[in-house]
Amino acid sequence: METTHRIVVGDARSLDSIDDESVELVVTSPPYPMIEMWDDLFAELDPAIGSALDEGDGREAFDLMHDQLGRVWDEVERVLVDGGMACINVGDATRSVDDRFRVYQNHARVTADFESRGFDPLPDVLWRKPTNSAAKFMGSGMLAPNAYVTLEHEYVLVFRKGAESRSFEPGADRRYEAAYFWEERNRWFTDLWTDLTGELQTLPDEGERERSAAFPFELPYRLCCMYSVYGDTVLDPFWGTGTTSLAAMCAGRSSVGVELDEGLLDVFAERVASVRSMAADVGRRRLDRHREFVSERRASGESPAYDARHYDFPVTTKQERNLLLYDVESVERATTPAGRRYRLTHEPLSEG
């Protein structure tokens, strides 16, 4: 199996290098409106945003920032196949503008914007961000009524383009090989994720993640497994340090990333250097966790009913029997006029 991974240097508001209906899944985390670290970026996109902030009009700045993101969502609608999925990681913002403190509900605005473009919202996920802060309050501290709860979660908003799910040819091997384990299904398809610093994590150092606003590796990896199959292409229009592309590589999917900052391509090249060991590590941990699950079930007097065809363990459902994880065998890199391209070859992940 081969996958290709393109990184395009450019503006996500115009994805001219990506064909109509050529992407099956979008996984991205945009700049969050009304988070101060993104003020300058939004003001460069539209000077009226900077003026609104200077004049203390937080609501106007919020709306104008989302208008800029809306131009990206127009492109997402164009490049996604019918039935394709868009997973948007976004957090709300708390901020005082002109001495007026409030929450700016980015998740609600993004949901409304996708609905207006014909997407159907599906159940979303809350994931809890790790925090080292001992301060759990804002406002007046221990005095009612003017303290405020802290925001310690972000949203993964899930949308489907159109009313119909994607169709597949009957018995398509790529769909059954890309199955996930029954116990993974129970853990992943819940609306609250508290374990994103868990066993499959392959984060850069925390300082790098804070500077780039990157999400944890396991978030896009899970979403690739949940909402795409082998042979699909995953798009991240706010590419950053390339965490979505790394996750797609490890998951055996192709990818396209779009990034304004050309300097981040060299950061990604350093990360790709370890993708072979990353993919093997992630895959083997999934297999090991399933073996632990089987042992626990047997210890409780139960045993999964079906034999896996590619591995030496049983599985719980018929849909898992052909499940097959892939390793990264080789990586080739090429520089293109628009950015960079990687071609990976994948081999079935062995038992060892």
Short mmCIF file of all heavy atoms in Angstrom, two decimals, residues 246-276:
data_model
loop_
_atom_site.label_atom_id
_atom_site.label_comp_id
_atom_site.label_asym_id
_atom_site.label_seq_id
_atom_site.Cartn_x
_atom_site.Cartn_y
_atom_site.Cartn_z
N LEU A 246 1.09 13.57 10.22
CA LEU A 246 1.76 12.48 10.92
C LEU A 246 0.76 11.39 11.32
O LEU A 246 1.02 10.20 11.17
CB LEU A 246 2.46 12.99 12.17
CG LEU A 246 3.84 13.62 12.00
CD1 LEU A 246 4.35 14.11 13.35
CD2 LEU A 246 4.83 12.63 11.39
N ALA A 247 -0.40 11.82 11.82
CA ALA A 247 -1.42 10.85 12.20
C ALA A 247 -1.91 10.07 10.99
O ALA A 247 -2.10 8.85 11.07
CB ALA A 247 -2.59 11.58 12.87
N ALA A 248 -2.11 10.76 9.86
CA ALA A 248 -2.54 10.07 8.64
C ALA A 248 -1.48 9.07 8.19
O ALA A 248 -1.81 7.95 7.76
CB ALA A 248 -2.83 11.09 7.54
N MET A 249 -0.22 9.44 8.26
CA MET A 249 0.85 8.52 7.89
C MET A 249 0.80 7.26 8.75
O MET A 249 0.90 6.14 8.24
CB MET A 249 2.21 9.21 8.05
CG MET A 249 2.51 10.29 7.04
SD MET A 249 4.08 11.14 7.40
CE MET A 249 4.26 12.16 5.93
N CYS A 250 0.66 7.45 10.06
CA CYS A 250 0.64 6.30 10.96
C CYS A 250 -0.63 5.47 10.79
O CYS A 250 -0.62 4.26 11.05
CB CYS A 250 0.76 6.77 12.41
SG CYS A 250 2.38 7.47 12.84
N ALA A 251 -1.71 6.11 10.33
CA ALA A 251 -2.97 5.41 10.14
C ALA A 251 -3.12 4.83 8.74
O ALA A 251 -4.13 4.19 8.45
CB ALA A 251 -4.14 6.35 10.45
N GLY A 252 -2.16 5.07 7.86
CA GLY A 252 -2.23 4.53 6.51
C GLY A 252 -3.19 5.26 5.60
O GLY A 252 -3.76 4.67 4.68
N ARG A 253 -3.38 6.55 5.83
CA ARG A 253 -4.19 7.38 4.96
C ARG A 253 -3.31 8.41 4.27
O ARG A 253 -2.25 8.78 4.79
CB ARG A 253 -5.27 8.14 5.75
CG ARG A 253 -6.55 7.36 6.06
CD ARG A 253 -6.36 6.27 7.05
NE ARG A 253 -7.65 5.77 7.56
CZ ARG A 253 -7.77 4.71 8.33
NH1 ARG A 253 -6.69 4.01 8.72
NH2 ARG A 253 -8.96 4.31 8.74
N SER A 254 -3.73 8.88 3.10
CA SER A 254 -3.04 9.98 2.45
C SER A 254 -3.49 11.30 3.08
O SER A 254 -4.50 11.35 3.78
CB SER A 254 -3.33 9.98 0.95
OG SER A 254 -2.79 8.83 0.32
N SER A 255 -2.73 12.38 2.80
CA SER A 255 -3.10 13.65 3.42
C SER A 255 -2.67 14.82 2.55
O SER A 255 -1.80 14.71 1.69
CB SER A 255 -2.46 13.78 4.81
OG SER A 255 -1.06 13.96 4.73
N VAL A 256 -3.33 15.96 2.83
CA VAL A 256 -2.96 17.25 2.26
C VAL A 256 -2.98 18.25 3.40
O VAL A 256 -3.95 18.29 4.18
CB VAL A 256 -3.92 17.71 1.15
CG1 VAL A 256 -3.46 19.05 0.58
CG2 VAL A 256 -4.03 16.67 0.05
N GLY A 257 -1.93 19.06 3.52
CA GLY A 257 -1.90 20.12 4.51
C GLY A 257 -1.65 21.45 3.84
O GLY A 257 -0.90 21.52 2.85
N VAL A 258 -2.26 22.49 4.35
CA VAL A 258 -2.08 23.85 3.82
C VAL A 258 -1.61 24.74 4.95
O VAL A 258 -2.23 24.77 6.02
CB VAL A 258 -3.39 24.39 3.21
CG1 VAL A 258 -3.18 25.80 2.66
CG2 VAL A 258 -3.91 23.45 2.12
N GLU A 259 -0.50 25.45 4.71
CA GLU A 259 0.14 26.21 5.79
C GLU A 259 0.73 27.51 5.25
O GLU A 259 1.40 27.51 4.21
CB GLU A 259 1.24 25.37 6.44
CG GLU A 259 2.07 26.08 7.48
CD GLU A 259 1.24 26.73 8.56
OE1 GLU A 259 0.29 26.09 9.07
OE2 GLU A 259 1.54 27.89 8.89
N LEU A 260 0.46 28.62 5.94
CA LEU A 260 1.00 29.92 5.55
C LEU A 260 2.49 30.04 5.82
O LEU A 260 3.22 30.66 5.05
CB LEU A 260 0.27 31.04 6.31
CG LEU A 260 -1.09 31.50 5.78
CD1 LEU A 260 -1.73 32.45 6.80
CD2 LEU A 260 -0.93 32.19 4.43
N ASP A 261 2.96 29.47 6.90
CA ASP A 261 4.35 29.65 7.36
C ASP A 261 5.24 28.57 6.75
O ASP A 261 5.26 27.42 7.19
CB ASP A 261 4.39 29.58 8.88
CG ASP A 261 5.78 29.87 9.44
OD1 ASP A 261 6.74 30.00 8.65
OD2 ASP A 261 5.90 29.95 10.68
N GLU A 262 6.01 28.93 5.74
CA GLU A 262 6.86 27.97 5.06
C GLU A 262 7.91 27.36 5.98
O GLU A 262 8.35 26.23 5.80
CB GLU A 262 7.54 28.63 3.85
CG GLU A 262 8.32 27.68 2.98
CD GLU A 262 8.85 28.34 1.72
OE1 GLU A 262 8.64 29.56 1.56
OE2 GLU A 262 9.46 27.63 0.88
N GLY A 263 8.30 28.10 7.02
CA GLY A 263 9.31 27.61 7.93
C GLY A 263 8.90 26.36 8.68
O GLY A 263 9.76 25.58 9.12
N LEU A 264 7.59 26.13 8.83
CA LEU A 264 7.13 24.95 9.54
C LEU A 264 7.35 23.66 8.76
O LEU A 264 7.30 22.57 9.34
CB LEU A 264 5.65 25.09 9.91
CG LEU A 264 5.34 26.15 10.97
CD1 LEU A 264 3.84 26.30 11.19
CD2 LEU A 264 6.02 25.81 12.29
N LEU A 265 7.61 23.78 7.46
CA LEU A 265 7.88 22.57 6.68
C LEU A 265 9.16 21.89 7.13
O LEU A 265 9.26 20.65 7.11
CB LEU A 265 7.97 22.90 5.18
CG LEU A 265 6.63 22.90 4.42
CD1 LEU A 265 5.69 23.98 4.94
CD2 LEU A 265 6.85 23.08 2.92
N ASP A 266 10.16 22.67 7.55
CA ASP A 266 11.40 22.08 8.04
C ASP A 266 11.20 21.43 9.41
O ASP A 266 11.81 20.40 9.71
CB ASP A 266 12.50 23.14 8.12
CG ASP A 266 12.96 23.59 6.75
OD1 ASP A 266 12.88 22.78 5.80
OD2 ASP A 266 13.39 24.76 6.61
N VAL A 267 10.34 22.02 10.24
CA VAL A 267 10.00 21.39 11.52
C VAL A 267 9.37 20.04 11.27
O VAL A 267 9.70 19.03 11.92
CB VAL A 267 9.05 22.30 12.34
CG1 VAL A 267 8.60 21.59 13.62
CG2 VAL A 267 9.73 23.62 12.67
N PHE A 268 8.48 19.98 10.29
CA PHE A 268 7.81 18.72 9.97
C PHE A 268 8.79 17.68 9.45
O PHE A 268 8.68 16.49 9.77
CB PHE A 268 6.71 18.96 8.95
CG PHE A 268 5.92 17.72 8.60
CD1 PHE A 268 5.06 17.16 9.53
CD2 PHE A 268 6.02 17.13 7.35
CE1 PHE A 268 4.32 16.02 9.22
CE2 PHE A 268 5.29 16.00 7.03
CZ PHE A 268 4.43 15.44 7.97
N ALA A 269 9.75 18.11 8.65
CA ALA A 269 10.73 17.16 8.11
C ALA A 269 11.47 16.45 9.24
O ALA A 269 11.77 15.25 9.13
CB ALA A 269 11.72 17.90 7.22
N GLU A 270 11.74 17.15 10.33
CA GLU A 270 12.39 16.52 11.48
C GLU A 270 11.47 15.49 12.13
O GLU A 270 11.93 14.44 12.58
CB GLU A 270 12.79 17.59 12.50
CG GLU A 270 13.83 18.58 11.97
CD GLU A 270 14.12 19.69 12.96
OE1 GLU A 270 13.54 19.65 14.08
OE2 GLU A 270 14.89 20.61 12.63
N ARG A 271 10.19 15.79 12.15
CA ARG A 271 9.24 14.85 12.76
C ARG A 271 9.06 13.60 11.89
O ARG A 271 8.92 12.50 12.40
CB ARG A 271 7.89 15.55 12.99
CG ARG A 271 7.98 16.78 13.88
CD ARG A 271 6.62 17.43 14.08
NE ARG A 271 5.79 16.66 15.00
CZ ARG A 271 4.52 16.94 15.25
NH1 ARG A 271 3.93 17.96 14.64
NH2 ARG A 271 3.83 16.21 16.11
N VAL A 272 9.05 13.80 10.57
CA VAL A 272 8.87 12.66 9.66
C VAL A 272 10.03 11.68 9.77
O VAL A 272 9.87 10.48 9.50
CB VAL A 272 8.70 13.15 8.21
CG1 VAL A 272 8.72 12.00 7.22
CG2 VAL A 272 7.39 13.91 8.05
N ALA A 273 11.19 12.16 10.16
CA ALA A 273 12.35 11.28 10.26
C ALA A 273 12.09 10.11 11.20
O ALA A 273 12.73 9.05 11.06
CB ALA A 273 13.57 12.08 10.74
N SER A 274 11.16 10.26 12.12
CA SER A 274 10.88 9.18 13.07
C SER A 274 9.55 8.49 12.81
O SER A 274 9.07 7.73 13.65
CB SER A 274 10.90 9.72 14.51
OG SER A 274 9.90 10.71 14.68
N VAL A 275 8.93 8.74 11.63
CA VAL A 275 7.58 8.23 11.41
C VAL A 275 7.54 6.71 11.33
O VAL A 275 6.54 6.08 11.70
CB VAL A 275 6.94 8.87 10.16
CG1 VAL A 275 7.56 8.33 8.88
CG2 VAL A 275 5.44 8.66 10.16
N ARG A 276 8.61 6.07 10.87
CA ARG A 276 8.59 4.61 10.81
C ARG A 276 8.47 4.00 12.20
O ARG A 276 7.66 3.10 12.44
CB ARG A 276 9.85 4.10 10.10
CG ARG A 276 9.91 4.44 8.61
CD ARG A 276 11.17 3.89 7.97
NE ARG A 276 11.19 2.43 8.02
CZ ARG A 276 12.24 1.69 7.68
NH1 ARG A 276 13.37 2.28 7.29
NH2 ARG A 276 12.18 0.38 7.73
#
